[in-house]
Amino acid sequence: MSTEKTPALVIRQADFSNTSRVVTFMTREFGKVACVAKGAKRLKSPFDAALDLLTHCGIVFIHKTSGALDILTEASFVHRFKPYAGELNCLYAGYYIAELLDSLTEPHDPHYRLFDESVPLLTRLEETPNWRRVVLRFELLILEETGQLPSFDACALCGRLLEDSPPAATVFIRSGFICPTCLPDATAEDGVSRPVSAGTAHILRVFSEDSNTWQDLPVTSAQAKEVRALMNLLIAQTLGKRPRMHGYLRD
Ligand SMILES: [Zn+2]
């Protein structure tokens, strides 16, 4: 048993008893942590508003090594998520980020970069209505951080570098793009295939780069549609199911 302190984001809440909740945090130092928050349902909760979904807070918890739930002892409010007014998708995009943080990461497996970049991405959902850009950047970030990002630079089967243009004729979702030479060798085990244009391939590369170029990259509405269909498939294949929030995020 040890007492730990860390910055955290609230990513899930569930009732535990008449007065307590189980709160799942994405913490900076310890990754995903599920804690019992005793008294969190009382009117005068010891944790105040620090446990609302997507609130950025500082927490202190007792880590139980026995596999039991950790115990939350302190939660101090840093910032409450306030999605861009007038664009409901910014709220849903925030919920989607919480859903992916919860479902794609393992307990007590820290991802510092994932935490450090998730916080400003949530801030962008407060400041601009352009949720699509934030969602795509986040999806590619979490896939990379959890070792599940396909290569967008090289053929997934032969490893040959793909040029931006002409594009690979087809993308195989599980493993990435496939060069035209390898296309006949791909099997059903490589996943669902989907045609992808050169523009979309370029967008995926830029949005998964470790730079800020993605923020200003021009994206047409046709490209945005193609990217979305492809990413929905990729995320669903990675998770083994369709995320709940895919049903809410719509144009
Ligand atoms: Zn190839």
Side-chain angles (χ1 to χ4, degrees):
M1 229 167 54
S2 56
T3 300
E4 312 286 7
K5 187 177 179 182
T6 177
L9 285 168
V10 178
I11 56 171
R12 187 151 60 103
Q13 287 216 24
D15 287 348
F16 184 67
S17 69
N18 285 341
T19 56
S20 302
R21 288 209 153 120
V22 174
V23 182
T24 307
F25 299 95
M26 173 50 64
T27 73
R28 186 177 191 281
E29 309 299 330
F30 307 96
K32 184 169 66 178
V33 171
C35 294
V36 176
K38 289 180 181 165
K41 288 176 70 182
R42 291 204 188 100
L43 272 180
K44 290 209 165 185
S45 155
F47 308 112
D48 255 346
L51 300 183
D52 291 343
L53 194 63
L54 292 171
T55 292
H56 182 194
C57 51
I59 63 168
V60 179
F61 66 96
I62 299 166
H63 177 44
K64 303 265 194 168
T65 45
S66 58
L69 286 165
D70 295 339
I71 307 286
L72 186 69
T73 58
E74 285 178 52
S76 56
F77 174 88
V78 176
H79 180 79
R80 180 201 293 253
F81 178 58
K82 293 183 288 286
Y84 190 84
E87 178 52 273
L88 199 53
N89 280 309
C90 285
L91 172 69
Y92 294 151
Y95 289 171
Y96 180 50
I97 286 175
E99 182 180 9
L100 292 191
L101 285 171
D102 188 28
S103 50
L104 284 174
T105 66
E106 296 297 322
H108 291 273
D109 178 20
H111 293 280
Y112 304 105
R113 181 177 166 226
L114 182 58
F115 183 87
D116 290 343
E117 294 202 21
S118 295
V119 172
L121 285 175
L122 287 168
T123 305
R124 285 179 80 88
L125 291 174
E126 302 182 340
E127 293 170 347
T128 80
N130 199 342
W131 57 274
R132 290 175 195 78
R133 222 166 254 270
V134 173
V135 163
L136 177 59
R137 174 67 173 177
F138 178 79
E139 288 169 327
L140 294 168
L141 170 71
I142 194 166
L143 289 175
E144 183 177 13
E145 279 294 309
T146 55
Q148 301 177 91
L149 184 70
S151 167
F152 298 128
D153 296 320
C155 171
L157 292 187
C158 72
R160 193 167 65 193
L161 283 180
L162 299 165
E163 296 160 21
D164 272 350
S165 144
T170 303
V171 59
F172 278 84
I173 291 303
R174 262 186 236 285
S175 43
F177 298 146
I178 291 187
C179 75
T181 314
C182 288
L183 204 49
D185 300 333
T187 66
E189 285 174 12
D190 292 315
V192 180
S193 66
R194 179 177 281 270
V196 61
S197 67
T200 294
H202 180 67
I203 290 165
L204 292 172
R205 286 192 189 99
V206 170
F207 271 74
S208 53
E209 276 169 8
D210 190 11
S211 80
N212 288 329
T213 316
W214 64 273
Q215 294 182 6
D216 303 308
L217 184 75
V219 179
T220 67
S221 60
Q223 286 170 332
K225 263 202 182 113
E226 199 181 44
V227 166
R228 183 68 358 238
L230 200 146
M231 289 307 297
N232 283 353
L233 198 56
L234 176 54
I235 292 289
Q237 287 207 7
T238 305
L239 273 179
K241 62 175 186 185
R242 186 169 180 246
R244 198 170 63 87
M245 291 314 296
H246 275 185
Y248 290 82
L249 284 166
R250 285 168 195 277
D251 289 325

